Amino acid sequence: MMDVVLLGRVFRRKDAEGLKPMELVWYEEDLKDQELILLAALAQKLNLVDADLYSMDEMLRMLSRFRNNNFSISDELLLPLGAGCFPLGAMINHSCDPNCAVTFVPETLDMEFRAMRLIKSGQEVTQTYVDVALPRRERQRRLQRKYHFRCNCARCAQSLQGGTSPDAFLDADIDGIPQEFWTQERQDEVEQALKEASNAASRGAGETDLAMQQQHRIEALEKLAERQGGILHRGNIAQLQTLSTLFSAEIKRGSVRAMCRYGERMLEFYRRVYSSNHPMTGLHLFTLGDLYDQMAQTGADPADRCDAKAVEYLAEAQRILRITHGKGHRLVTLLADRLDHRGRGNVEARSQRQ
């Protein structure tokens, strides 16, 4: 639906400077895509586009340009806000190991490309068109479906065997064998086991007491995670998805200790799959550091251990977000204040003990 609104705006806009959406690439295959045909018809029906000025083919070509070039606009926490057409940004090619992160200025939603590692003179600037935490087969499927190309980046060229590639275990079984090498028997076995465990995870859906419903859901998810752990590799993305769901469920329940436990497992995954300066890792470290800070304040665990973890994670989060969001960003400033406050507090605490 967002593309329909953009379609009307682009066709009506006459004052665009520089590279224009009309100049972006489109694909012949998209002109027969039923989804795009329906969107074009909807744009006409809503009078967003003057049918006397623009033919159905012209609208389909523009929708194809949107599909292949538009960006999802996200907030500072990488949560989606909408979509936009950024022609210059669309000129930057894809890599499954990109050297840049895409973020948006909160006040203006201007797009920014920020280098996550050193880019040497003459080296290509790259971004990613898909979530690089997805298994290679799924990334390739999405890239082919939406962008009409097969990725041949250095990461995709790596062998899945040997365990050195970030993709080696993203869809692997407990023995570390990637899904594309499974036998049919193994495929059926895993699918059946996960189906049974997933069905169990719906337990408690009819419970009227919300607290009890939440408890039942967490128990079922824990069993699902346990079952996955017995048949899938620790680095399989399905385990991350379950851990993430458990993490969210514990947020609702308010169990900080459990959140830290699941958050640590998620961090292990992020460090393995994302680059060292990826914003997802930075934001997760911010969350984990805050949780350990809460535990240190309440004395739920050894205070010194929680305090050390809080400082370690908050400091690393600040370092990463300075790179991906900018040193003047609100989150970076907030982290600096938190760390400064903790530093003063620790000095005062040591003085009191002495």
Side-chain angles (χ1 to χ4, degrees), residues 224-292:
L224 173 59
E226 182 180 359
R227 187 71 180 103
Q228 287 177 328
I231 56 178
L232 300 178
H233 192 275
R234 188 178 180 87
N236 191 300
I237 191 173
Q239 293 215 56
L240 172 68
Q241 292 164 344
T242 301
L243 289 169
S244 180
T245 305
L246 272 166
F247 187 77
S248 298
E250 293 292 1
I251 288 176
K252 292 180 180 179
R253 188 165 68 166
S255 176
V256 177
R257 188 191 300 272
M259 281 187 272
C260 287
R261 183 170 69 252
Y262 297 128
E264 287 283 1
R265 284 285 311 279
M266 293 167 65
L267 179 61
E268 177 187 325
F269 184 94
Y270 289 158
R271 289 194 192 280
R272 182 187 301 115
V273 176
Y274 292 123
S275 64
S276 58
N277 295 324
H278 197 282
M280 281 291 292
T281 306
L283 291 168
H284 189 66
L285 283 163
F286 193 165
T287 301
L288 262 184
D290 184 63
L291 291 171
Y292 277 113

Side-chain angles (χ1 to χ4, degrees), residues 141-353:
R141 187 190 70 80
R142 295 190 184 193
L143 290 169
Q144 186 65 53
R145 167 70 181 86
K146 186 174 181 180
Y147 302 104
H148 306 281
F149 74 88
R150 178 177 178 80
C151 182
N152 294 309
C153 70
R155 175 176 168 181
C156 286
Q158 280 186 276
S159 172
L160 293 181
Q161 297 175 323
T164 57
S165 167
D167 293 314
F169 304 123
L170 284 174
D171 59 0
D173 64 9
I174 189 67
D175 298 319
I177 302 173
Q179 187 174 0
E180 63 184 79
F181 300 120
W182 291 357
T183 63
Q184 187 59 51
E185 181 181 3
R186 183 57 169 164
Q187 180 78 36
D188 294 341
E189 177 189 357
V190 171
E191 286 182 359
Q192 181 61 30
L194 292 181
K195 182 179 179 181
E196 292 173 359
S198 182
N199 289 339
S202 63
R203 174 189 170 193
E207 180 69 56
T208 56
D209 184 277
L210 292 180
M212 190 62 68
Q213 183 184 79
Q214 187 68 14
Q215 178 63 32
H216 286 166
R217 175 168 170 74
I218 289 173
E219 290 173 357
L221 285 167
E222 287 173 341
K223 289 181 180 178
L224 173 59
E226 182 180 359
R227 187 71 180 103
Q228 287 177 328
I231 56 178
L232 300 178
H233 192 275
R234 188 178 180 87
N236 191 300
I237 191 173
Q239 293 215 56
L240 172 68
Q241 292 164 344
T242 301
L243 289 169
S244 180
T245 305
L246 272 166
F247 187 77
S248 298
E250 293 292 1
I251 288 176
K252 292 180 180 179
R253 188 165 68 166
S255 176
V256 177
R257 188 191 300 272
M259 281 187 272
C260 287
R261 183 170 69 252
Y262 297 128
E264 287 283 1
R265 284 285 311 279
M266 293 167 65
L267 179 61
E268 177 187 325
F269 184 94
Y270 289 158
R271 289 194 192 280
R272 182 187 301 115
V273 176
Y274 292 123
S275 64
S276 58
N277 295 324
H278 197 282
M280 281 291 292
T281 306
L283 291 168
H284 189 66
L285 283 163
F286 193 165
T287 301
L288 262 184
D290 184 63
L291 291 171
Y292 277 113
D293 191 17
Q294 292 180 44
M295 290 182 68
Q297 300 301 323
T298 59
D301 257 23
D304 288 346
R305 174 184 173 276
C306 291
D307 188 73
K309 281 278 191 181
V311 172
E312 175 191 350
Y313 288 164
L314 292 175
E316 189 176 357
Q318 183 194 30
R319 181 191 64 77
I320 294 174
L321 296 182
R322 276 176 63 94
I323 294 170
T324 61
H325 288 58
K327 62 182 181 180
H329 193 278
R330 183 186 70 86
L331 293 179
V332 177
T333 303
L334 178 60
L335 279 163
D337 291 343
R338 288 280 295 277
L339 287 165
D340 183 58
H341 176 73
R342 289 193 62 81
R344 290 198 305 271
N346 289 341
V347 170
E348 292 171 0
R350 285 196 296 270
S351 298
Q352 290 173 0
R353 286 197 295 268

Side-chain angles (χ1 to χ4, degrees), residues 3-29:
D3 284 354
V4 173
V5 177
L6 281 172
L7 186 66
R9 293 186 64 182
V10 167
F11 277 141
R12 289 195 300 271
R13 188 172 181 180
K14 305 295 184 183
D15 59 344
E17 297 180 357
L19 184 66
K20 300 176 178 60
M22 299 285 192
E23 301 173 51
L24 296 174
V25 66
W26 60 277
Y27 291 91
E28 191 74 33
E29 302 97 299

